[in-house]
């Protein structure tokens, strides 16, 4: 036990406390291990009076200087195992060693069975004799050096290093007709690249990585190897089955995270003095909210437009307090109804945080994000020698300027006005949300003015007006969404010759009320 009386004026505090604990027996295999401080006294402590999100505990200041009011665990190191006497059974070993040789004559057939099975899973296709012979040479080298398990390890290393595993190599069907690039031209005379129909096995692999971010399971692989995946209704059945599987959550944790740029939330650290209630825990919760929200649209097969208009989201107590939503307690996320200002992606903390800077909101970043991510129309880069907004004075004549007023000063530069006229109204419509996504009515004691005019002349005001303006151009949003989804599904950029297919997918999905599954099938 240690009681530290820290002077807040100290520039740096370094403490070290080493706890000696007895050895703990833990069974081999995957385990959840946790450690925590146990309270051994009664009476109030500061953090119960002032919750941790009102301290410096999880800010960059607290991490750098160790200034916290509660004892907390910074690092946990596990050393072991101790006194090893043999090899333990683990889930991964059970999956690898599907047979065990009991004599020298049984080793080669058993090794061939293990290596062939692992290679088929890793390569996501039937293994040829040539594949197996090459891998068994690695087994033979490892077996010669040590023992049977070393041989299997050598073959497994070769499998994991093979381009057949590392890359998604797609092959055409044996009977496919290859189209020469110059034999087919688009209506405008653009030469199309060579094309061929995918084999069932390659299609299964593409579908699995698209929906699950991993290789095909046994059922999908079996259907593909039998050539039945392209039979009438088979692909639709497999898509429905795979979307109902928990692994389909990768569409939110991977596709949505990449498309919406959720990874940028981690690198955004609001100023600890101005926003002491923000920490990494809240930032992580914001990202999880968006993932769960996106996942619900996929699983419930809602309209893709719900990404902009949904009147619900998923929050825990921390987010609920931040948003001002009552009657939510505990760390678990649950579905809640939202006020009109919070509906859709534009009211979620993750989007609002990643489009801000540390000490102020950024209408330019928010407007640019909307143009690039939702509308697929990135603005041109700023001209050279234009001062950044930070160079604009935050006050004028003793009066503090709001972000909007500083933007108006910045736009007085003739080189800036043409682009900012398009970008700024989109971002300023969200200016009622501060750096951390918290609702506000004043900025620097100046009432927030969120009114503006979109590039097409549509008048907008606040998040609701912005949503209405975007829905007025929902065809642009749907096409942009489809382009991003296709890029993720194919593992390559969408090219000009893909655009007829993109438009066809949107048109077909419109007939199905824009359900998410219709875009997947397209």
């Amino acid at each position: 036990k240690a009681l530290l009386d820290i002077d807040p004026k100290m520039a740096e505090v370094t403490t070290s406390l080493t706890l000696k604990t007895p050895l703990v027996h833990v069974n081999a295999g995957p385990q959840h291990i946790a450690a925590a401080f146990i309270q051994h006294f009664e009476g109030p402590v500061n953090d119960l009076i002032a919750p941790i999100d009102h301290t410096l505990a999880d800010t960059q200041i607290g991490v750098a200087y160790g200034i916290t009011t509660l004892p907390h665990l910074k690092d946990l190191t596990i050393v072991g195992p101790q006194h090893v006497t043999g090899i333990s059974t683990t889930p991964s070993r059970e999956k690898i060693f599907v047979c065990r040789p009991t004599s020298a004559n049984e080793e080669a057939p058993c090794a061939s069975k293990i290596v062939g099975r692992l290679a088929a899973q890793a390569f996501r296709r039937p293994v040829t004799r040539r594949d197996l012979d090459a891998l068994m040479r690695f087994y033979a080298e490892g077996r010669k050096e040590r023992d049977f398990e070393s041989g299997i390890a050598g073959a497994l290393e070769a499998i994991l290093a093979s381009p057949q595993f590392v890359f998604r190599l797609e092959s055409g069907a044996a009977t496919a007709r290859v189209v020469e690039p110059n034999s087919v031209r688009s209506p405008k005379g653009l030469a199309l690249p060579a094309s061929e129909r995918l084999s069932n096995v390659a299609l299964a692999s593409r579908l699995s990585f698209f929906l699950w971010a991993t290789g095909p399971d046994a059922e999908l692989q079996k259907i593909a190897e039998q050539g039945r995946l392209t039979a009438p209704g088979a692909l639709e059945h497999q898509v429905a089955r795979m979307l109902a599987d928990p692994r389909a959550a990768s569409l939110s944790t991977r596709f949505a995270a990449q498309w919406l740029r959720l990874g940028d939330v981690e690198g955004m650290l609001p100023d600890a003095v101005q926003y002491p209630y923000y920490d990494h825990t809240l930032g992580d919760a914001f990202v999880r909210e968006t993932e769960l929200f996106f996942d619900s649209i996929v699983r419930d097969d809602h309209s893709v437009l719900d990404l902009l208009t949904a009147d619900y989201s998923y929050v825990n107590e921390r987010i609920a307090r931040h948003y001002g939503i009552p009657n939510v307690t505990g760390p678990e996320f649950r579905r809640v109804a939202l006020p009109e200002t919070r509906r859709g992606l534009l009211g979620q903390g993750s989007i609002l945080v990643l489009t801000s800077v540390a000490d102020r909101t950024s209408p330019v970043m928010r407007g640019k994000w909307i143009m690039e991510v939702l509308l697929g129309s990135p603005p041109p880069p700023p001209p050279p020698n234009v001062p950044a907004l930070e160079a604009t004075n935050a006050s004028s004549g003793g009066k503090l300027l709001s972000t909007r007023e500083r933007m108006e000063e910045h736009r007085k530069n003739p080189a800036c006005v043409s682009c900012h006229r398009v970008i700024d109204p989109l971002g300023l419509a969200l200016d009622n949300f501060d750096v951390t996504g918290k609702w506000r009515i004043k900025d620097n004691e100046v009432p927030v003015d969120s009114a503006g005019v979109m590039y097409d002349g549509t008048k907008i005001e606040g998040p609701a007006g912005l949503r209405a303006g975007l829905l007025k151009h929902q065809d642009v949003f749907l096409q942009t969404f489809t382009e991003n989804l296709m890029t993720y599904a194919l593992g390559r950029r969408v090219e000009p010759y893909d655009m007829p297919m993109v438009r066809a997918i949107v048109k077909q999905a419109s007939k199905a009320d824009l359900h998410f599954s219709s875009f997947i099938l397209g």
Side-chain angles (χ1 to χ4, degrees), residues 118-256:
L118 292 174
Q121 288 180 315
F123 299 166
R124 304 172 293 279
R125 60 170 176 77
V127 177
T128 64
R129 171 52 59 183
R130 180 179 179 182
D131 293 328
L132 188 58
D133 289 344
L135 293 171
M136 287 300 289
R137 286 198 290 270
F138 288 94
Y139 160 77
E141 292 178 6
R143 176 66 182 89
K144 183 178 180 181
E145 291 180 2
R146 291 186 60 185
D147 52 19
F148 176 78
E149 292 202 0
S150 297
I152 297 297
L156 182 55
E157 289 176 1
I159 290 172
L160 298 179
S162 170
Q164 299 288 335
F165 170 71
V166 176
F167 299 104
R168 288 162 54 186
L169 305 177
E170 295 179 339
S171 59
T175 58
R177 179 176 63 88
V178 177
V179 180
E180 294 298 330
N182 296 324
S183 64
V184 176
R185 291 184 176 272
S186 70
K188 293 185 178 180
L190 176 66
L192 299 178
S195 61
E196 59 181 82
R197 184 175 300 278
L198 284 180
S199 68
N200 272 242
V201 171
L203 180 59
S205 184
R206 176 185 287 189
L207 178 63
S208 183
F209 278 103
F210 178 21
L211 302 184
W212 287 349
T214 188
D217 64 355
E219 177 179 335
L220 183 60
Q221 190 72 28
K222 181 179 179 181
I223 292 174
E225 291 177 3
Q226 294 173 348
R228 295 190 290 118
L229 185 56
T230 50
L235 189 62
E236 290 79 1
H237 173 74
Q238 288 301 314
V239 167
R241 178 183 74 87
M242 296 172 72
L243 286 177
D245 189 281
R247 283 170 286 190
S250 66
L251 283 170
S252 61
T253 58
R254 293 175 65 90
F255 165 67

Side-chain angles (χ1 to χ4, degrees), residues 308-312 323 325 337-348 429-430 433 439 461-468 471:
L308 298 178
T309 63
D311 60 356
Y312 67 90
Y323 289 175
I325 299 174
L338 294 175
E340 188 176 16
T341 54
R342 285 283 176 190
R343 293 181 180 180
L345 289 170
L346 296 178
Q348 295 188 2
L430 301 176
F433 297 110
W439 185 261
E461 183 171 0
L466 176 59
R467 279 196 304 274
L471 290 174

